[in-house]
Amino acid sequence: MKTATRPEHRPSPAAERDEKPQKRNDRGLLGRLRRVRKWNMPAGVASVLWLVVVGLPLYVLVLTTLRDRDSYFDEGALSLPSNLTLDNYRTVLESDFLTYLLNTAVVTVATAAIVIVLSVGIGYTVVRTLSRTSQRIFQFFLLGLAIPAQAVIIPIYLLITQMQLYDSLLAIILPVSAFCLPVCVLILSSTMRDIEEEMYESMALEGASQTRVLLQLVVPLSRGGISTVGVYAALQAWNNFLFPLILTQSRESRVLTLGLYDYVGQFRVDIPALLAAVVLSIVPIFVVYLFARRQLINGLMGAGGR
């Protein structure tokens, strides 16, 4: 006598199709996990070393500003401060630091504005004018890359004194702008060459003047290079030390790079207050970089901001 057997349950074809992608997904996930487990030892060691090289000075800089002068010499720069204090920042803000900061901001903004306006005009002329004169002008500006400021500081000093600009902020703005122009003209001329010729031709067919072409076509498409030029000029003006040292004298015309000398005496150096002034002087230009970093990277890559 035959006994009835229960038919074996087989999944439907639709269920089989649903299981196959799940298995493939599981294999893909396992593969990614295996790749994560494979550590790149040289890259990891190099990253740790780079983190130490960059992080250790910042660690010393910040912690030193939070300790007093006596504990700095007693405990050492690398040890954790026993008593945290903000007296160093208070000392800096109660001095002439804000005057130095304002003077530096005026010099930086004026230098960046002058450099942007001049380099945009010169770069556009070099790119769109094929005459020998424009090429000679371009070569003249490139020659400025090979001339260090230290080599011409005496002629600049004589020119500034004859123009009766000595001990003024304009005495700093003009030389710094002049030494920024060669690099900025080179950057903007390279950026403007990336603009297609068809765009210039379409603007010409519409009857646009050279000024309209510059303002409505070249400037918008070169915003990456312009941002790069502006940040570069601002950094050069903010950190410049030679021209303020030689071309200014009074405290009213002093900038931050010279104002740090207020914390250096003949027989003592107030290192915590000095580093507190350094931290406060870094913050404004760092904020500018944060807002302009994308355009800065595009300009350095030659993308022209597009």
Side-chain angles (χ1 to χ4, degrees), residues 16-279:
E16 291 180 354
R17 287 195 300 269
D18 293 339
E19 289 179 358
K20 290 180 180 179
Q22 183 65 31
K23 293 181 180 179
R24 287 197 296 267
N25 291 337
D26 293 342
R27 287 197 296 269
L29 179 60
L30 291 175
R32 287 194 295 270
L33 291 176
R34 292 192 188 99
R35 287 195 294 269
V36 169
R37 292 194 188 101
K38 295 180 180 178
W39 291 95
N40 190 342
M41 293 301 297
V45 173
S47 300
V48 172
L49 291 177
W50 178 250
L51 181 63
V52 172
V53 171
V54 175
L56 186 60
L58 293 177
Y59 168 82
V60 174
L61 176 64
V62 175
L63 284 187
T64 303
T65 63
L66 299 176
R67 68 173 86 224
D68 54 30
R69 186 167 175 267
D70 295 332
S71 64
Y72 172 77
F73 289 105
D74 295 338
E75 300 174 358
L78 296 178
S79 62
L80 292 173
S82 56
N83 295 319
L84 297 178
T85 179
L86 296 176
D87 291 340
N88 297 310
Y89 292 98
R90 189 179 299 109
T91 301
V92 171
L93 294 176
E94 290 176 353
S95 63
D96 294 331
F97 178 83
L98 295 179
T99 301
Y100 305 153
L101 180 64
L102 179 61
N103 291 339
T104 307
V106 171
V107 171
T108 301
V109 172
T111 300
I114 292 173
V115 170
I116 289 175
V117 172
L118 293 181
S119 57
V120 167
I122 296 170
Y124 179 72
T125 302
V126 168
V127 172
R128 298 303 300 165
T129 306
L130 301 179
S131 63
R132 284 189 175 182
T133 303
S134 63
Q135 299 304 317
R136 296 297 183 188
I137 293 175
F138 184 59
Q139 294 173 2
F140 174 76
F141 275 97
L142 292 183
L143 183 63
L145 296 173
I147 302 176
Q150 294 83 356
V152 293
I153 190 62
I154 294 178
I156 290 176
Y157 173 80
L158 295 176
L159 286 174
I160 292 297
T161 52
Q162 291 178 1
M163 296 170 62
Q164 298 182 356
L165 295 177
Y166 181 76
D167 198 22
S168 65
L169 296 182
L170 197 58
I172 306 173
I173 295 171
L174 295 180
V176 174
S177 301
F179 276 89
C180 288
L181 276 177
V183 176
C184 297
V185 169
L186 179 62
I187 293 174
L188 276 182
S189 60
S190 301
T191 302
M192 292 176 183
R193 285 193 178 95
D194 293 337
I195 302 176
E196 289 79 1
E197 185 66 26
E198 290 78 7
M199 294 185 178
Y200 290 108
E201 294 176 356
S202 62
M203 293 288 290
L205 291 176
E206 294 178 0
S209 62
Q210 293 294 331
T211 304
R212 182 183 171 190
V213 172
L214 176 63
L215 297 179
Q216 296 185 2
L217 176 65
V218 176
V219 171
L221 294 180
S222 302
R223 61 184 183 273
I226 294 174
S227 299
T228 304
V229 165
V231 173
Y232 173 79
L235 287 173
Q236 294 298 312
W238 191 274
N239 297 322
N240 195 273
F241 176 76
L242 180 62
F243 293 132
L245 177 65
I246 303 298
L247 302 177
T248 60
Q249 184 177 6
S250 64
R251 299 180 67 89
E252 290 76 13
S253 302
R254 188 171 294 180
V255 294
L256 284 175
T257 51
L258 292 181
L260 298 178
Y261 273 106
D262 290 350
Y263 311 100
V264 179
Q266 184 177 1
F267 301 105
R268 71 177 186 90
V269 179
D270 193 351
I271 295 179
L274 175 62
L275 295 184
V278 171
V279 171

Side-chain angles (χ1 to χ4, degrees), residues 271-290:
I271 295 179
L274 175 62
L275 295 184
V278 171
V279 171
L280 291 176
S281 64
I282 291 174
V283 171
I285 199 68
F286 181 71
V287 172
V288 172
Y289 170 76
L290 288 180

